[in-house]
Amino acid sequence: MNELNQNKGMNEEEMIQQTFQELLNDYLATNHRKRVEIITKAFNFANQAHRGVKRLSGEPYIMHPLAVAKIVCNEIGLGSTSICAALLHDVVEDTDYTTEDIENLFGAKIAQIVDGLTKISGGIFGDHASAQAENFKKLLLTMSSDIRVILIKIADRLHNMRTLASQAPNKQYKIAGETLYLYAPLAYRLGLNKIKTELEDLSFKYEHPEEYGIIEQKLKATASERDQVFREFTAPIREALDKMNLKYRIIARVKSVYSIWNKMQTKHVPFEEVYDILAVRIIFEPNTLEEELNDCFDIYVSISKIYKAHPDRIRDWVSHPKSNGYQALHVTLMGNNGQWIEVQIRSERMNDIAEQGFAAHWKYKEGAGGEDEGELEKWLNTIKEILDDPQPDAIDFLDTIKLNLFAQEIFVFTPTGEIKTLPQNSTALDFAFSLHTDIGSHCIGAKVNHKLVPLSHKLQSGDQVEVLTSRSQRVQSEWLNIAATAKARNKIASILRKEAKVYQAEGVKMLNELLKEKDIQSDNDLVQRLAAMHGKSADDFLADIGAKRLTLNDNDFDELKGKQDSGWKKFLKIPFIGSTANKESKDKQAANKQKQREEHQEKINTKQIYKLDEDSIQNKYTMAECCRPIPGDDVLGYIADNGKIIIHKRQCPVAMKLKSSYGKRIIATQWDTHRQLSFIVTLHLEGVDCVGLLNDVTQIISRQLNVNIHKLTIETNEGIFHGDIQLYAYDVDDVQTITNELKKIKNISSITRE
């Protein structure tokens, strides 16, 4: 037995050494300085520190830091400092070594990066909402001090996603949700498009394994057909490029499984109707950096002589790079098969930046990388501004950040011709705040292309915008519904909160004076009761008094008095509103609420997979109103504050936030209903109105399929009809059958489940 263990130990050590040698070989093949000695030293130190520790998969723990270091080297393109930090990233958190030990052995820079990674360890999120916002803040702060911290953290998350199979299902949902909600957008924003795509696909694979498998199989089944289209489409393009004496390569880019599924959901189409699965990428090597831009347009001119270009689908990211550094010229051409095919034209340098993001800029720092690094600095400054005054609520804070992560961009001009980059759907108000907070705060309108427009006017690429201001203008709460960018929304919310605090303080003062005048003492509930009588929260009530939007009169106090005993003045003990006792009471209530929540959670084994059978659905679980899941939907459970378990679809937007923010309250659930219970399902129908359409719909549902209709509403406008049908179904198969039959009606163009 000891011999077997010894052999196993030897095999593990051989595997570790072999993996490290692969890392060294990968590093030596790069253009970075060959600092093999310090990388070897970091590996030996980490190997010794983690010795004997295993991952959940059963492999030695050191294999994880080695895998992260390989991703950092090969897929992100970083050098020895980052490789060392990746090898050491869990040492301080998981062993007795300190950041000071790392600094003494490896220097201040590596220690600083390891320290940044340690501070944001355990995922972005903790157990409680305030901790989550705080940890995400730390992530962004460390990111703004050294971008390598977040790049290594993304590599760490990528390896965790690649090895997620060893985790329990509820942990898989938490980690996948968190990845899709924030890590994939962060990777995108940093230009790591390949990693972003893999993170999305892996998240989708664990959240919706069946759909993932179906789309993957369909992609394999249609691969030969796509290969033929690619060969036929690119043959004349190759001939044209050969005549230009360019060194180039043409590759096929197939849409990712997650992107295909996303398009199927948003466009409400089957796999067979997703037409942009195939795209073509032309990657060339310019003779000089100066010729790079001209070569892109020369290639475009050449291929548009072969195929007709779509006039509205030319994207010039060459002249105006995206804020994550991405550069390419996109053109959509009509192939001989009658389908539009997107062609992406980029140089080898542009391709490196598209694959490795800002990390690739170090490779080209003597060239045009400096301009893009400036774009990164602009974005980090936006993040710092948001961090200056973060949203008090964790979910609001995360949403505010996320607004700017995945946004597509437009380019607009100032009156002097300066270019400004803004997210798509930005308004004139967003533009005003992008110039300066003071300009945004006093904005009354704008001139877009010399025409007067309101603050809510949505901007388009190429617009020239002049902001109109007035010193008498004040920030309005309605502006939160107008602003689309994180920066503008955050500034508006911040100004409103500051104003509200001033008014609240004045309101407390005015109310205390009024109560003193009427010889009334205040308890903790008095403000709540007065506020409730006016249909407001306590904070809004006090702010309205302070701003003189609300005036209390004798009737308010008479009404309040009528609800109390005759000696109501005597039992009000605590003097005046705003006392420390009020805060202590709130703290005590919060602590009790947290204790209750923990007690509820202790009764539930989050590692268990809970069956959703007839009895538990009727008596134990609550179906979420936001997504109304039915048997056959991929679902999960969320433990609410009161201990009840709420069932959500896994792709439900609310569930996405819950997975990202309250991961420890997520449980794995599985349907077990055996078609015993029916559920109300709403189908939304659209199409061209015609005589007898309603009759056709009801005939199919009621008579042909024998399904009971619960509610039906249809309205028409200018020949187009919209209808909602609520009906009873056992599961998603029933819904699919009903949908397929209704689609046979000629005038119905789309059917979606609400």
Side-chain angles (χ1 to χ4, degrees):
M1 189 74 178
N2 287 336
E3 192 175 316
L4 279 171
N5 287 337
Q6 193 176 0
N7 286 337
K8 189 180 175 187
M10 282 175 62
N11 291 336
E12 281 185 352
E13 193 54 43
E14 284 171 11
M15 177 178 70
I16 291 166
Q17 292 298 331
Q18 183 184 331
T19 306
F20 174 61
Q21 192 54 52
E22 288 169 5
L23 171 64
L24 274 188
N25 293 342
D26 292 342
Y27 170 67
L28 289 168
T30 68
N31 295 329
H32 292 284
R33 285 182 298 155
K34 305 299 179 269
R35 300 181 65 204
V36 173
E37 189 179 329
I38 193 165
I39 293 174
T40 306
K41 183 180 174 183
F43 162 69
N44 289 332
F45 183 78
N47 193 19
Q48 178 271 323
H50 293 301
R51 192 172 297 281
V53 182
K54 303 278 186 184
R55 297 190 84 210
L56 282 177
S57 60
E59 68 177 9
Y61 192 86
I62 188 64
M63 295 300 288
H64 169 63
L66 276 168
V68 174
K70 285 178 84 171
I71 293 168
V72 161
C73 176
N74 298 332
E75 299 179 55
I76 303 182
L78 299 173
S80 58
T81 301
S82 299
I83 291 169
C84 289
L87 289 167
L88 298 165
H89 80 272
D90 280 333
V91 167
V92 174
E93 185 192 355
D94 294 343
T95 74
D96 293 332
Y97 290 105
T98 64
T99 308
E100 288 72 28
D101 296 329
I102 303 291
E103 185 169 354
N104 291 335
L105 287 164
F106 299 98
K109 180 48 71 178
I110 290 173
Q112 182 191 342
I113 295 172
V114 171
D115 185 46
L117 288 160
T118 305
K119 282 175 181 169
I120 54 172
S121 61
I124 291 177
F125 305 102
D127 293 343
H128 313 304
S130 58
Q132 291 156 14
E134 201 54 42
N135 283 339
F136 191 52
K137 228 172 98 179
K138 284 180 190 170
L139 175 80
L140 296 169
L141 283 168
T142 50
M143 177 176 160
S144 59
S145 62
D146 193 322
I147 198 72
R148 286 174 290 193
V149 174
I150 188 58
L151 292 171
I152 297 167
K153 189 65 188 171
I154 287 171
D156 177 41
R157 175 48 59 108
L158 179 58
H159 184 247
N160 284 336
M161 286 301 297
R162 286 173 177 173
T163 56
L164 196 58
S166 58
Q167 295 279 1
N170 69 308
K171 267 288 185 71
Q172 289 177 350
Y173 302 153
K174 172 199 179 293
I175 294 167
E178 184 181 280
T179 300
L180 202 56
Y181 193 71
L182 279 169
Y183 277 99
L186 270 173
Y188 168 81
R189 205 58 174 78
L190 294 168
L192 300 166
N193 292 312
K194 199 172 179 182
I195 288 177
K196 182 265 301 186
T197 299
E198 188 177 350
L199 288 174
E200 287 175 338
D201 270 4
L202 287 169
S203 298
F204 177 55
K205 181 180 179 180
Y206 284 102
E207 294 218 294
H208 305 285
E210 286 184 20
E211 284 97 330
Y212 182 90
I214 291 167
I215 294 172
E216 195 176 39
Q217 281 301 113
K218 286 186 175 181
L219 279 173
K220 284 178 184 173
T222 53
S224 58
E225 187 185 320
R226 274 195 308 279
D227 289 344
Q228 186 178 344
V229 170
F230 175 72
R231 285 194 301 272
E232 291 174 358
F233 181 79
T234 56
I237 291 176
R238 290 178 194 278
E239 285 180 27
L241 295 182
D242 288 340
K243 290 175 184 173
M244 294 173 68
N245 295 319
L246 275 174
K247 187 179 176 184
Y248 69 92
R249 55 196 173 101
I250 302 180
I251 58 174
R253 188 235 63 182
V254 178
K255 210 173 185 67
S256 70
V257 175
Y258 174 75
S259 293
I260 292 169
W261 178 79
N262 222 13
K263 192 144 201 176
M264 288 165 64
Q265 300 302 306
T266 53
K267 300 285 185 184
H268 307 297
V269 294
F271 175 90
E272 291 70 24
E273 290 180 30
V274 179
Y275 292 120
D276 59 347
I277 289 175
L278 174 69
V280 172
R281 194 168 284 159
I282 300 171
I283 303 166
F284 67 94
E285 189 68 68
N287 293 323
T288 64
L289 202 58
E290 289 73 29
E291 293 176 31
E292 189 182 51
L293 189 143
N294 288 336
D295 286 344
C296 283
F297 284 97
D298 287 345
I299 291 169
Y300 161 65
V301 170
S302 181
I303 63 176
S304 59
K305 288 177 182 175
I306 303 166
Y307 298 110
K308 184 182 177 183
H310 195 302
D312 298 326
R313 294 182 66 179
I314 296 170
R315 300 286 180 268
D316 177 12
W317 303 114
V318 175
S319 310
H320 307 295
K322 289 187 179 184
S323 56
N324 63 8
Y326 179 83
Q327 279 186 288
L329 186 62
H330 290 197
V331 56
T332 303
L333 304 173
M334 173 64 80
N336 293 329
N337 61 354
Q339 286 186 12
W340 293 105
I341 295 177
E342 184 180 75
V343 179
Q344 301 166 357
I345 305 165
R346 50 169 89 154
S347 67
E348 289 288 356
R349 180 190 71 82
M350 294 172 189
N351 191 59
D352 280 344
I353 289 171
E355 297 296 317
Q356 298 178 341
F358 284 104
H361 295 173
W362 289 307
K363 186 174 173 182
Y364 298 99
K365 58 187 173 187
E366 293 176 5
E371 180 188 335
D372 293 328
E373 282 168 9
E375 287 293 339
L376 173 62
E377 195 56 41
K378 280 184 203 169
W379 185 59
L380 291 179
N381 283 334
T382 302
I383 294 297
K384 285 174 188 171
E385 283 181 21
I386 294 168
L387 290 169
D388 284 342
D389 187 19
Q391 298 285 342
D393 178 77
I395 304 295
D396 288 347
F397 176 68
L398 297 177
D399 280 349
T400 300
I401 293 291
K402 197 171 186 291
L403 270 175
N404 269 17
L405 287 179
F406 244 151
Q408 297 295 317
E409 289 147 333
I410 59 170
F411 302 99
V412 295
F413 297 89
T414 66
T416 57
E418 184 188 349
I419 291 181
K420 289 282 180 186
T421 307
L422 291 169
Q424 212 164 36
N425 297 321
S426 290
T427 62
L429 185 63
D430 291 305
F431 178 78
F433 274 99
S434 76
L435 297 175
H436 196 278
T437 303
D438 195 51
I439 294 173
S441 303
H442 297 96
C443 179
I444 55 171
K447 283 185 179 178
V448 174
N449 305 324
H450 309 293
K451 289 182 181 177
L452 197 62
V453 298
L455 297 176
S456 58
H457 178 82
K458 281 190 181 177
L459 302 175
Q460 305 291 327
S461 261
D463 282 346
Q464 188 170 41
V465 188
E466 179 187 350
V467 178
L468 306 174
T469 61
S470 166
R471 296 313 297 177
S472 62
Q473 175 69 295
R474 300 184 67 81
V475 171
Q476 312 291 319
S477 58
E478 295 79 23
W479 288 8
L480 287 169
N481 299 322
I482 295 173
T485 61
K487 179 177 180 179
R489 286 173 63 86
N490 189 63
K491 288 295 179 189
I492 293 164
S494 171
I495 292 164
L496 290 172
R497 280 199 302 275
K498 282 174 185 170
E499 283 185 358
K501 280 177 185 173
V502 172
Y503 287 136
Q504 282 165 22
E506 185 61 27
V508 167
K509 185 181 170 187
M510 288 168 68
L511 185 56
N512 278 332
E513 285 173 0
L514 186 59
L515 293 172
K516 191 173 182 181
E517 182 186 308
K518 292 185 174 291
D519 194 24
I520 299 173
Q521 285 187 304
S522 166
D523 72 350
N524 293 328
D525 297 327
L526 181 62
V527 178
Q528 299 285 354
R529 292 198 299 275
L530 282 167
M533 283 160 50
H534 289 272
K536 297 179 182 292
S537 69
D539 286 346
D540 288 346
F541 172 70
L542 290 170
D544 283 351
I545 291 173
K548 297 180 181 173
R549 292 188 291 262
L550 175 66
T551 305
L552 295 179
N553 54 45
D554 289 339
N555 290 337
D556 292 301
F557 295 103
D558 290 342
E559 188 179 338
L560 187 67
K561 187 176 178 181
K563 293 181 180 179
Q564 308 297 334
D565 297 330
S566 55
W568 72 284
K569 290 182 188 177
K570 294 176 184 175
F571 79 86
L572 299 176
K573 309 282 186 190
I574 301 166
F576 295 81
I577 303 147
S579 67
T580 55
N582 196 17
K583 183 182 183 303
E584 286 168 10
S585 172
K586 283 184 179 177
D587 291 345
K588 193 173 180 181
Q589 285 172 7
N592 288 337
K593 199 172 180 183
Q594 179 60 32
K595 189 180 177 184
Q596 276 181 339
R597 185 159 56 231
E598 286 168 1
E599 283 171 3
H600 285 307
Q601 282 181 247
E602 279 174 20
K603 296 174 189 172
I604 298 166
N605 180 4
T606 54
K607 293 181 180 176
Q608 182 183 330
I609 298 177
Y610 285 82
K611 297 279 186 185
L612 302 177
D613 56 25
E614 293 82 1
D615 179 59
S616 62
I617 289 170
Q618 289 174 320
N619 302 311
K620 189 175 178 182
Y621 303 124
T622 303
M623 298 296 140
E625 282 297 315
C626 50
C627 55
R628 294 184 178 177
I630 65 171
D633 287 326
D634 290 333
V635 289
L636 52 77
Y638 166 70
I639 307 166
D641 286 353
N642 57 10
K644 288 184 179 176
I645 296 173
I646 302 168
I647 308 300
H648 286 269
K649 286 187 196 173
R650 285 182 214 157
Q651 79 266 31
C652 164
V654 174
M656 285 289 289
K657 292 182 185 180
L658 295 174
K659 283 178 285 186
S660 303
S661 311
Y662 301 100
K664 298 229 170 155
R665 297 208 224 165
I666 299 298
I667 61 169
T669 54
Q670 210 171 63
W671 295 105
D672 191 28
T673 51
H674 308 291
R675 295 178 65 84
Q676 296 298 310
L677 288 178
S678 58
F679 298 79
I680 290 181
V681 175
T682 303
L683 295 180
H684 182 71
L685 282 62
E686 288 184 9
V688 179
D689 189 26
C690 66
V691 176
L693 180 68
L694 183 58
N695 184 53
D696 292 344
V697 170
T698 54
Q699 284 282 347
I700 285 175
I701 295 173
S702 299
R703 295 198 178 178
Q704 189 177 322
L705 299 173
N706 199 28
V707 172
N708 189 12
I709 295 175
H710 177 67
K711 186 179 178 184
L712 191 153
T713 56
I714 284 185
E715 60 179 82
T716 62
N717 185 22
E718 296 181 355
I720 303 296
F721 84 88
H722 298 269
D724 287 314
I725 303 175
Q726 281 189 1
L727 42 82
Y728 290 94
Y730 288 116
D731 52 31
V732 291
D733 290 338
D734 272 3
V735 176
Q736 194 58 54
T737 302
I738 295 164
T739 302
N740 290 342
E741 289 301 317
L742 289 174
K743 279 184 176 175
K744 292 177 183 176
I745 299 173
K746 186 181 175 183
N747 283 39
I748 292 180
S749 58
S750 76
I751 303 172
T752 54
R753 179 178 149 204
E754 294 286 298

